[in-house]
Amino acid sequence: MNAPFSSHNPPPNPLSILNGLSVDVEDWFQVGAFENVIGRDEWDSIKTRVEDNVYRVIDLFAEADVSATFFTLGWVAKRHPNMIRRIADAGHELASHGYDHARVFNFTRAEFAEDIRKARAIIEDCAGVQVTGYRAPSFSIDHRTPWAFEELAEQGYAYSSSVAPVAHDHYGWPEAPRFAFRPLAWSPMIELPVTSAMLGQRRVAAGGGGFFRVLPYAFSRWAIRQVNREERRPAVFYFHPWEVDPGQPRVSHAPLRSRFRHYTGLARMSGKLRELVHDFRWGRMDLVAQHEALRATDLVLPAADMADIAV
Ligand SMILES: [Zn+2]
């Protein structure tokens, strides 16, 4: 439950709530939807489009005068160091999205430790800035990975935004808190889950991804307004550079469902993003993490989840 407001922790004016805007920097062929048809060993032979797309995103943010956080793959940063510097020079936060988009729940703890260490070192070397935020590929931190938060805290991260607190066929941790929480008793590190909204008693994903492209913008506007005005909390929104690129190559041999998720609404995406950044107040995730640290709850897992962790 939220702590009652005191003079030290006043209720925020809903119109002034700073929402977290984020971009998961990966190329069009590095997404979960195509992982079974395009292997990592093929990545180096595919013509990259990420740099042009990131510059489009930077321009769109500049038009609206907003800053955001770019969770970047180490693999991408290594090949596009100039792009990394341009992101930092434009005033945005650089954070880590792991090295090559492997999901956390498929790692051992030692493999995860190595993956995040490697990605962070590459990004920090390119930009000359300190990385303090992390987002797991495909929101793959859940009840199966109790060691992931420990590893992030031990490596000195200030925040993670790696949990989707909804039920979904590829990811999701529906029992997790919907807003900022402290996963570890011994660390100030917080988790900022991607936004969900309540539709009656149901949690629905409302923080970006395929839902944002497929559904009318009015749904996202309603959901974020509800989170800001009724629940008085910031939204955490994400999208990918390939989503503003309707001209990207089509992978015809991917399953129909994957193609539907990846290609629907690409042409309308930039227009929707312009409305989104205009309608709400947005900023970098590190700032949102600082604000939310005051209100983060401790993670209390339901008994069923605790039993899962114990085995
Ligand atoms: Zn990703």
Side-chain angles (χ1 to χ4, degrees):
M1 298 300 286
N2 293 334
F5 293 114
S6 68
S7 56
H8 298 293
N9 190 15
N13 173 349
L15 295 176
S16 74
I17 288 182
L18 183 72
N19 297 291
L21 184 58
S22 61
V23 185
D24 291 357
V25 180
E26 57 208 40
D27 219 326
W28 61 274
F29 50 84
Q30 298 174 313
V31 299
F34 297 148
E35 69 185 346
N36 293 324
V37 286
I38 302 174
R40 280 178 180 69
D41 53 343
E42 297 171 69
W43 285 4
D44 263 320
S45 62
I46 302 174
K47 194 169 169 350
T48 177
R49 300 174 73 90
V50 68
E51 196 154 332
D52 287 347
N53 293 334
V54 162
Y55 296 150
R56 269 185 223 186
V57 171
I58 289 176
D59 288 348
L60 192 149
F61 289 166
E63 270 171 39
D65 196 23
V66 292
S67 301
T69 293
F70 288 69
F71 293 101
T72 303
L73 289 183
W75 192 97
V76 169
K78 194 170 159 183
R79 287 158 180 82
H80 302 276
N82 292 333
M83 177 186 84
I84 299 303
R85 281 189 283 274
R86 287 256 306 255
I87 293 171
D89 289 348
H92 303 296
E93 179 193 6
L94 279 161
S96 168
H97 195 34
Y99 183 70
D100 66 358
H101 220 265
R103 291 181 172 87
V104 178
F105 52 66
N106 291 328
F107 281 135
T108 63
R109 177 169 177 166
E111 288 166 343
F112 176 64
E114 181 51 29
D115 180 272
I116 60 174
R117 196 172 288 125
K118 184 171 158 187
R120 185 187 208 173
I122 295 168
I123 298 165
E124 289 185 342
D125 283 353
C126 290
V129 296
Q130 205 193 346
V131 164
T132 62
Y134 171 77
R135 170 165 292 149
S138 308
F139 299 103
S140 54
I141 288 184
D142 60 23
H143 64 285
R144 289 169 285 183
T145 59
W147 39 263
F149 287 127
E150 289 174 17
E151 192 57 46
L152 287 164
E154 280 180 17
Q155 292 196 25
Y157 284 85
Y159 77 91
S160 153
S161 179
S162 303
V163 168
V166 294
H168 183 279
D169 56 348
H170 290 173
Y171 56 75
W173 185 5
E175 297 80 17
R178 291 178 49 234
F179 296 109
F181 65 91
R182 238 182 304 278
L184 304 165
W186 52 267
S187 165
M189 186 186 78
I190 63 170
E191 164 65 31
L192 295 170
V194 66
T195 289
S196 58
M198 296 305 293
L199 205 55
Q201 294 300 306
R202 254 189 89 204
R203 290 181 179 192
V204 289
F211 295 95
F212 184 75
R213 272 181 292 114
V214 172
L215 298 176
Y217 170 64
F219 168 75
S220 295
R221 187 174 51 205
W222 167 81
I224 295 170
R225 262 192 199 153
Q226 192 195 41
V227 166
N228 281 180
R229 290 185 181 174
E230 308 298 324
E231 305 192 82
R232 302 192 165 211
R233 300 302 289 261
V236 171
F237 185 87
Y238 77 102
F239 68 99
H240 307 89
W242 56 262
E243 291 184 274
V244 298
D245 181 12
Q248 66 191 273
R250 294 299 191 262
V251 182
S252 55
H253 52 296
L256 184 62
R257 191 186 173 107
S258 305
R259 282 184 281 142
F260 176 77
R261 279 187 180 163
H262 192 87
Y263 297 127
T264 302
L266 292 178
R268 291 187 301 276
M269 184 68 178
S270 295
K272 279 182 173 176
L273 285 171
R274 283 192 178 90
E275 288 196 73
L276 180 80
V277 294
H278 173 267
D279 286 346
F280 299 95
R281 195 171 155 236
W282 297 99
R284 294 162 50 134
M285 296 284 294
D286 54 354
L287 276 181
V288 175
Q290 280 172 26
H291 296 169
E292 284 291 281
L294 303 169
R295 307 175 69 195
T297 53
D298 291 329
L299 176 61
V300 180
L301 291 170
D305 263 22
M306 295 299 276
D308 266 4
I309 285 172
V311 277

